[in-house]
């Protein structure tokens, strides 16, 4: 009943907001204008020993002028409080729901991931009949890269430093060490003019080759300039142009995914996130505050790539290997039949 009354009153006030604005302004006019200049003339004030006092009419009208806006404001605040509480409860319930939904999806993905790893490591590699993969793992990985891009736009954006989809260049290069060890792009493109041979040759000073040689899980550097000086990044054509123009070159983050059994690696992939002219974390603020912000940015990027999308990437990499083995087996059988 009270809730309904508050809602109806709030809606009326919201609909007639001009009247509400005038009512809330009346006490100011009442004290500064009506009582001060006209109070004695209209019987609101009376003189007693040189002191002006409110008459009964003055008291009644003053209480009315004060109480009406006060009651209206109380009703509005109570309604707002209850609405905000209800909205917070709704948001909390949605948060709990999505957290549970995400956990459930992760459980499903984890079981699928475990089974696929078992298949490629224990059962189907290198011998055996390799199943036909009806999905397209490469296309799925492209979609995952696009979603990582979307998440980064949300996670890294802040007031004065907004990010858009075009600000991030996300790629995945992969290889099958037990097959031929040849690196390939998921989307069959070159990374801004740098070939895979340049990135992965033994003496390359690229971030990808650093992760492979040192067997590191990931590399993060907010300044490509520093990464290059540290021999852990190679400038591509856009980087060179930005450097020559004295612009910020950008930032680099790479993550190393491996499907292996002990030291035997079956699938290896490097996911790269690069920016141009923009940095993951703008270099502003006090030094200690910036360091904390930089660490949070790094942690967020690792969380997105590893925790949010890691299992899904692992699943598609396993399927990519099985697809390759099936295609190779089909080709071998065809060649045998044509001889």
């Amino acid at each position: 009943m009270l809730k309904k009354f508050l809602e109806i009153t709030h809606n009326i006030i919201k609909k007639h907001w001009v009247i509400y604005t005038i009512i809330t302004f009346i006490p100011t006019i009442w004290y500064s204008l009506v009582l001060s200049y006209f109070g004695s003339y209209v019987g609101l004030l009376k003189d007693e020993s040189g002191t002006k006092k409110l008459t009964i009419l003055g008291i009644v009208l003053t209480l009315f002028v004060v109480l009406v806006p006060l009651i209206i404001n109380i009703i509005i605040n109570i309604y707002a409080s209850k609405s905000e509480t209800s909205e917070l409860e709704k948001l909390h319930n949605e948060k709990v729901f999505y957290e549970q939904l995400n956990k459930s999806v992760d459980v499903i993905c984890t079981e699928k991931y475990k089974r696929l790893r078992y298949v490629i490591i224990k059962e189907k590699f290198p011998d055996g009949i390799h199943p036909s993969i009806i999905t397209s793992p490469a296309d799925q990985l492209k979609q995952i890269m696009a979603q990582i891009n979307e998440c980064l736009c949300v996670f890294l954006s802040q007031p004065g430093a907004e990010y858009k989809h075009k600000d991030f260049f996300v790629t995945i290069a992969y290889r099958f060490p037990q097959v031929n060890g040849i690196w390939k792009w998921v989307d069959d493109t070159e990374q801004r003019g740098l070939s895979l041979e340049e990135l992965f040759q033994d003496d390359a000073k690229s971030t990808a080759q650093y992760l492979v040689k040192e067997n590191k899980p990931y590399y993060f550097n907010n300044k490509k300039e520093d990464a290059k000086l540290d021999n852990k990044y190679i400038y591509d054509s856009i980087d060179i142009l930005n450097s020559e123009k004295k612009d910020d070159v950008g930032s680099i983050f790479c993550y190393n995914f491996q499907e292996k059994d002990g030291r035997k690696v079956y699938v290896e992939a490097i996911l790269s996130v690069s920016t141009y002219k923009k940095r993951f974390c703008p270099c502003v603020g006090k030094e200690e505050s910036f360091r904390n912000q930089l660490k949070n940015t790094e942690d967020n990027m690792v969380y997105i790539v590893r925790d949010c999308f890691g299992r899904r990437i692992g699943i598609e990499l396993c399927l990519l290997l099985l697809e390759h083995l099936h295609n190779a087996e089909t080709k071998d059988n065809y060649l045998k039949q044509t001889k």
Side-chain angles (χ1 to χ4, degrees):
M1 188 68 180
L2 176 61
K3 183 178 179 181
K4 191 66 176 177
F5 169 75
L6 292 173
E7 184 178 354
I8 292 172
T9 306
H10 176 266
N11 291 335
I12 292 173
I13 293 171
K14 187 177 179 181
K15 182 178 180 180
H16 303 286
W17 60 271
V18 175
I19 297 175
Y20 165 71
T21 303
I22 294 172
I23 290 174
T24 55
F25 190 64
I26 285 177
T28 304
I29 300 175
W30 180 260
Y31 284 105
S32 61
L33 185 63
V34 177
L35 287 181
S36 299
Y37 292 97
F38 305 105
S40 299
Y41 297 104
V42 295
L44 300 177
L45 296 174
K46 61 181 178 180
D47 288 327
E48 288 186 2
S49 304
T51 303
K52 290 184 177 181
K53 291 185 179 182
L54 287 169
T55 63
I56 295 176
L57 178 62
I59 293 173
V60 172
L61 291 178
T62 300
L63 287 175
F64 179 80
V65 167
V66 171
L67 290 177
V68 169
L70 178 63
I71 293 171
I72 291 175
N73 282 319
I74 289 174
I75 291 173
I76 290 174
N77 289 333
I78 292 175
Y79 179 82
S81 175
K82 289 184 177 294
S83 298
E84 288 174 2
T85 302
S86 176
E87 189 64 27
L88 286 173
E89 289 177 355
K90 181 181 176 182
L91 290 173
H92 174 72
N93 291 337
E94 286 183 357
K95 176 177 176 291
V96 172
F97 169 75
Y98 285 118
E99 284 179 349
Q100 182 56 49
L101 181 62
N102 193 50
K103 287 179 182 178
S104 300
V105 172
D106 281 344
V107 169
I108 296 170
C109 288
T110 299
E111 290 304 312
K112 184 177 181 180
Y113 182 38
K114 287 179 179 178
R115 179 57 187 166
L116 283 170
R117 291 188 79 253
Y118 182 81
V119 168
I120 66 171
I121 293 173
K122 301 298 183 182
E123 286 188 351
K124 301 295 184 183
F125 193 96
D127 302 318
I129 300 174
H130 304 104
S132 174
I133 306 301
I134 61 173
T135 60
S136 175
D139 288 340
Q140 292 297 318
L141 286 168
K142 291 177 192 177
Q143 291 300 319
I144 289 173
M145 287 189 288
Q147 293 307 311
I148 288 174
N149 195 323
E150 294 293 340
C151 288
L152 289 173
C153 290
V154 175
F155 265 76
L156 300 185
S157 289
Q158 53 186 290
E162 301 293 329
Y163 289 90
K164 298 180 180 179
H165 188 273
K166 63 181 179 64
D167 292 326
F168 300 102
F169 187 62
V170 184
T171 59
I172 295 179
Y174 69 94
R175 68 172 176 173
F176 307 132
Q178 304 305 316
V179 178
N180 51 33
I182 299 175
W183 286 96
K184 294 183 179 181
W185 294 117
V186 163
D187 52 358
D188 297 323
T189 62
E190 289 193 354
Q191 186 171 335
R192 306 291 185 181
L194 286 176
S195 66
L196 286 168
E197 288 74 16
E198 290 176 287
L199 291 173
F200 289 100
Q201 61 186 359
D202 290 339
D203 60 346
K205 296 177 181 178
S206 66
T207 308
Q209 183 63 2
Y210 163 73
L211 293 179
V212 172
K213 289 181 69 173
E214 300 296 327
N215 197 28
K216 299 290 186 180
Y218 73 91
Y219 178 79
F220 172 94
N221 203 313
N222 198 50
K223 298 179 70 175
K224 288 180 178 177
E225 300 92 321
D226 292 345
K228 184 176 184 296
L229 289 173
D230 203 23
N231 294 322
K232 294 174 183 175
Y233 184 76
I234 302 175
Y235 277 0
D236 59 29
S237 57
I238 304 298
D239 293 327
I240 294 171
L241 180 62
N242 290 333
S243 179
E244 290 174 348
K245 292 168 62 178
K246 307 299 181 183
D247 291 330
D248 288 340
V249 179
S251 303
I252 184 68
F253 172 80
C254 289
Y255 199 94
N256 187 5
F257 290 94
Q258 292 183 340
E259 304 305 328
K260 61 183 182 179
D261 183 25
R263 293 185 177 182
K264 199 171 185 178
V265 180
Y266 292 88
V267 187
E268 187 167 24
I270 302 294
L271 182 145
S272 172
V273 181
S274 179
T275 62
Y276 296 90
K277 289 190 177 183
K278 283 189 175 183
R279 304 201 189 281
F280 295 145
C281 184
C283 303
V284 294
K286 296 182 180 179
E287 185 176 350
E288 183 178 355
S289 175
F290 172 68
R291 284 201 304 269
N292 292 334
Q293 188 179 1
L294 192 63
K295 185 64 172 65
N296 288 336
T297 301
E298 180 179 345
D299 291 343
N300 282 337
M301 294 192 73
V302 173
Y303 172 75
I304 290 171
V305 172
R306 182 191 63 195
D307 299 327
C308 295
F309 291 96
R311 292 181 186 86
R312 293 162 180 81
I313 291 173
I315 288 170
E316 300 307 329
L317 290 175
C318 291
L319 290 172
L320 203 61
L321 174 57
L322 290 175
E323 181 183 60
H324 175 84
L325 294 174
H326 174 78
N327 292 340
E329 183 180 59
T330 302
K331 183 179 179 180
D332 288 344
N333 291 336
Y334 174 77
L335 292 174
K336 288 177 182 179
Q337 291 174 3
T338 56
K339 285 184 179 180

